[in-house]
Amino acid sequence: LSSVVKLMLLLLQIQNHVTCNGALYNRPFSESFEETPMLVAVLTYMGYGILTLFGYLRDFLREWKIEKCHVAQEREEQRDFVPLYQDFENFYTRNLYMRIRDSWNRPICSVPGAKMDLVERVSHDYNWTFEYTGKVIKDVINMGSYNYLGFAENMGYCADAAADVTMKYGIGVSSTRQEMGNLDKHEELEMLVAKFLGVEASMVFGMGFATNSMNIPALTGKGCLILSDELNHASLVLGARLSGSTIRVFKHNNMQSLEKLLRDAIVHGQPRTHRPWKKILIVVEGIYSMEGSVVRLPEVIALKKKYKAYLYLDEAHSIGALGPRGRGVLDYFGLDPEDVDVLMGTFTKSFGAAGGYIGGKKELIDYLRAQSHSAVYATSMSSPVAEQIITSMKCIMGEDGTTIGRERIQQLAENTTYFRRRLREMGFIIYGNNDSPVVPVMLYMPAKIGAFGREMLKRNIGVVVVGFPATPIIESRARFCVSAAHTKEMLDVALSAISEVGDLLQMKYSKYRALPSQDWPSDETSYEGTGNQGTRSPM
């Protein structure tokens, strides 16, 4: 009887926990991370093992001059010096990456819109060098660019406005914001960004990567604690390291892991002295660009408030791409922008431009203007780039007098739902949130990374393939980015090619193939956000 009572109490606690977390969400929250099939995992490890063995064999042949060595080497007269080149550290690049290097850095010679033109190139030495044939591969469907709302274009309202501003202001600014590089366009842009985000003030920067890497060190330092998601972008990782703060990593989107770190930080304080931390900063992203997952922001904010921490939200991929008004993950969940202390985002994706922003309270922005290395030392944003952002943002907000922005947001949502559902019906394992325009399709085996990219290009589809070390060693993938500029016909052509190549390379690994649906673009697989935080489970 005692055991039964304890079990009932435990179930009641779990139910209350789930209800509490579920109450934080005002919309369905559905994500899938299907487990890697055991046989596929074993074969993937075997594949890397075989490649490693052959890599050592080739290095042996190069050492004895049997095979020509293309890699950098120390000069004979410098053998006694401290080595500038660590030979073993480049083993992976030399023996694995080079075999599939033709899958990356392909030159584009057109606007990278829904379709693009590629410069054809060939290699006669296994991708150590490339030669251009002089031919152009026309009308390649672009499934890899972050052009979520289709603003990467060379005609239309935004392009015309940027061209007019170029004639008035020129291209370069040749100074920092604090000296002679502060234009009226920058002031206009910052006021517009603040209005768009629903915050008191904002500040813009010329480079998205530097927005993170140079501003985090201005916000935290020695004696501060940064709690970082394990899958945060390299710019966030670099910024955290440069800050000199103590860094602790929590499991991806796992609220139990985050809460444990917060609790331990409050209870134990700093190492050795056990003094309270000067500041605790939680760092997360809106959409994670390799996983396609969306941050569990309602739960993160609840924990932030509970433990009196600060929250830094990177909306590089989510701003413009999520939410009924395109205002990012806060808009997606219907949350108050004041609940996030530092709102960061970039203009390189949904706005078809360059640079980044920080938004928040006026005191925060005033502090960054004086303390941020990006503000003090970096050349300010080019005026035509600023104008591109202004016009595209006004379009999204509907301030241009049209409904184009709203229509593009809706089109992106429909394209995303349709593309994800069709891939599930085909039997592919795909990662991420149902509403995320970043769609990773799992390849797993190293040989399939290059093969998939090449076979898709043969069918006039441009894709991005990703492998170790950018992903875990057994989780190589193709990453598709859906755009509002894609028509249903384009997506159908791409899906047909993906299915064909998937059959050729035997990539349809999923055990949970979705049933075909004739409705477009509805999606029936969704369930409420619960306390099942960060779990990777079959759909």
Side-chain angles (χ1 to χ4, degrees):
L1 183 62
S2 175
S3 300
V4 173
V5 171
K6 287 181 180 179
L7 180 60
M8 291 178 65
L9 288 172
L10 179 62
L11 290 173
L12 184 61
Q13 288 175 357
I14 294 173
Q15 184 179 8
N16 288 338
H17 180 64
V18 169
T19 305
C20 177
N21 283 334
L24 296 173
Y25 293 82
N26 63 357
R27 58 175 298 127
F29 185 81
S30 176
E31 291 190 343
S32 64
F33 296 93
E34 187 175 331
E35 187 178 356
T36 305
M38 180 59 70
L39 178 61
V40 174
V42 171
L43 292 175
T44 301
Y45 280 120
M46 287 178 60
Y48 275 105
I50 292 169
L51 286 170
T52 302
L53 288 174
F54 273 93
Y56 281 115
L57 175 61
R58 293 177 71 93
D59 278 355
F60 175 80
L61 296 175
R62 293 180 186 122
E63 181 69 23
W64 289 93
K65 312 299 182 184
I66 298 173
E67 179 180 324
K68 184 178 179 182
C69 184
H70 296 273
V71 299
Q73 290 180 310
E74 296 287 346
R75 295 178 181 177
E76 193 65 35
E77 59 269 24
Q78 294 177 329
R79 291 286 183 179
D80 295 331
F81 288 83
V82 176
L84 297 174
Y85 175 78
Q86 297 295 331
D87 187 65
F88 182 76
E89 290 180 4
N90 291 274
F91 178 88
Y92 179 87
T93 302
R94 188 168 60 248
N95 293 299
L96 280 76
Y97 168 74
M98 279 297 173
R99 311 295 291 184
I100 55 176
R101 192 163 74 103
D102 58 311
S103 299
W104 296 282
N105 305 315
R106 292 185 178 125
I108 298 172
C109 56
S110 69
V111 176
K115 289 187 176 182
M116 59 186 177
D117 299 337
L118 299 180
V119 177
E120 187 180 70
R121 62 182 182 178
V122 296
S123 177
H124 303 292
D125 54 5
Y126 302 102
N127 298 330
W128 286 99
T129 61
F130 292 100
E131 295 178 5
Y132 298 108
T133 64
K135 298 179 182 178
V136 174
I137 306 173
K138 294 280 189 179
D139 295 328
V140 177
I141 297 178
N142 182 2
M143 296 300 299
S145 294
Y146 308 131
N147 185 26
Y148 298 130
L149 294 180
F151 283 113
E153 51 195 357
N154 60 355
M155 59 182 66
Y157 172 61
C158 295
D160 292 342
D164 292 340
V165 165
T166 303
M167 297 302 295
K168 179 180 179 180
Y169 292 87
I171 299 292
V173 182
S174 304
S175 185
T176 67
R177 291 285 299 276
Q178 291 192 351
E179 295 172 345
M180 303 295 291
N182 191 33
L183 305 179
D184 57 347
K185 284 294 174 185
H186 298 143
E187 302 282 349
E188 179 185 354
L189 174 58
E190 288 177 342
M191 287 189 289
L192 184 65
V193 170
K195 181 180 179 182
F196 182 70
L197 299 175
V199 295
E200 292 180 9
S202 74
M203 184 175 182
V204 298
F205 306 88
M207 182 181 178
F209 190 98
T211 305
N212 278 331
S213 61
M214 293 291 101
N215 282 297
I216 292 177
L219 297 172
T220 65
K222 189 175 181 181
C224 298
L225 175 65
I226 293 178
L227 302 180
S228 177
D229 190 290
E230 65 178 346
L231 296 182
N232 274 343
H233 190 263
S235 60
L236 294 169
V237 174
L238 178 60
R241 289 175 177 172
L242 291 174
S243 71
S245 306
T246 300
I247 305 168
R248 290 175 185 165
V249 178
F250 61 91
K251 294 178 182 178
H252 175 56
N253 241 354
N254 189 314
M255 297 302 106
Q256 294 167 341
S257 175
L258 174 58
E259 184 167 17
K260 183 180 184 302
L261 291 178
L262 282 166
R263 190 185 303 116
D264 290 346
I266 299 298
V267 172
H268 301 295
Q270 299 183 40
R272 293 190 300 275
T273 64
H274 299 293
R275 292 175 181 172
W277 295 100
K278 295 178 181 178
K279 192 183 300 178
I280 300 176
L281 181 66
I282 303 169
V283 180
V284 293
E285 294 186 43
I287 291 178
Y288 291 85
S289 59
M290 284 296 173
E291 304 297 307
S293 53
V294 174
V295 64
R296 294 178 177 271
L297 192 59
E299 295 174 68
V300 175
I301 290 176
L303 290 176
K304 169 240 177 186
K305 290 180 176 179
K306 180 178 179 181
Y307 293 97
K308 305 296 187 292
Y310 294 94
L311 178 57
Y312 186 108
L313 175 62
D314 178 348
E315 292 223 66
H317 287 268
S318 53
I319 194 70
L322 279 184
R325 301 176 300 157
R327 310 287 171 97
V329 71
L330 284 163
D331 187 30
Y332 178 75
F333 287 115
L335 301 171
D336 188 348
E338 289 190 2
D339 289 335
V340 178
D341 301 287
V342 186
L343 276 170
M344 178 272 172
T346 65
F347 303 119
T348 54
K349 284 91 178 172
S350 295
F351 303 95
Y357 66 82
I358 294 283
K361 293 188 178 298
K362 187 177 183 301
E363 294 84 355
L364 168 70
I365 302 304
D366 289 343
Y367 172 81
L368 288 177
R369 289 192 195 281
Q371 302 296 327
S372 169
H373 290 305
S374 288
V376 178
Y377 300 110
T379 302
S380 56
M381 182 183 289
S382 177
S383 53
V385 172
E387 185 64 20
Q388 166 72 20
I389 301 165
I390 290 170
T391 50
S392 58
M393 190 171 288
K394 285 183 176 180
C395 186
I396 295 170
M397 298 169 72
E399 292 188 3
D400 62 337
T402 71
T403 59
I404 293 174
R406 187 170 69 247
E407 290 168 1
R408 291 194 183 194
I409 293 168
Q410 180 63 30
Q411 187 63 53
L412 175 62
E414 292 177 0
N415 287 353
T416 297
T417 305
Y418 176 66
F419 191 72
R420 280 183 168 272
R421 193 186 71 230
R422 286 290 308 278
L423 288 173
R424 286 198 300 269
E425 291 170 0
M426 293 174 186
F428 291 100
I429 293 180
I430 61 173
Y431 276 4
N433 191 285
N434 283 353
D435 296 321
S436 170
V438 179
V439 188
V441 174
M442 304 312 293
L443 304 174
Y444 296 114
M445 301 179 193
K448 294 184 181 181
I449 300 173
F452 185 80
R454 292 166 190 148
E455 290 297 327
M456 290 298 290
L457 187 58
K458 287 179 184 177
R459 293 159 177 78
N460 247 37
I461 312 292
V463 301
V464 172
V465 288
V466 191
F468 178 81
T471 67
I473 194 166
I474 64 166
E475 293 187 8
S476 300
R477 64 198 67 181
R479 184 185 62 182
F480 297 96
C481 291
V482 182
S483 171
H486 291 136
T487 64
K488 186 173 183 292
E489 290 70 28
M490 289 181 192
L491 293 179
D492 284 337
V493 171
L495 287 162
S496 176
I498 294 168
S499 181
E500 184 180 338
V501 176
D503 289 330
L504 178 66
L505 301 180
Q506 298 183 2
M507 288 169 42
K508 298 179 179 180
Y509 303 111
S510 180
K511 296 180 291 185
Y512 306 95
R513 183 179 297 212
L515 295 175
S517 171
Q518 299 302 317
D519 296 330
W520 186 78
S522 64
D523 188 355
E524 298 175 359
T525 26
S526 61
Y527 42 86
E528 297 294 331
T530 69
N532 185 24
Q533 295 126 338
T535 340
R536 296 195 171 195
S537 58
M539 292 181 57

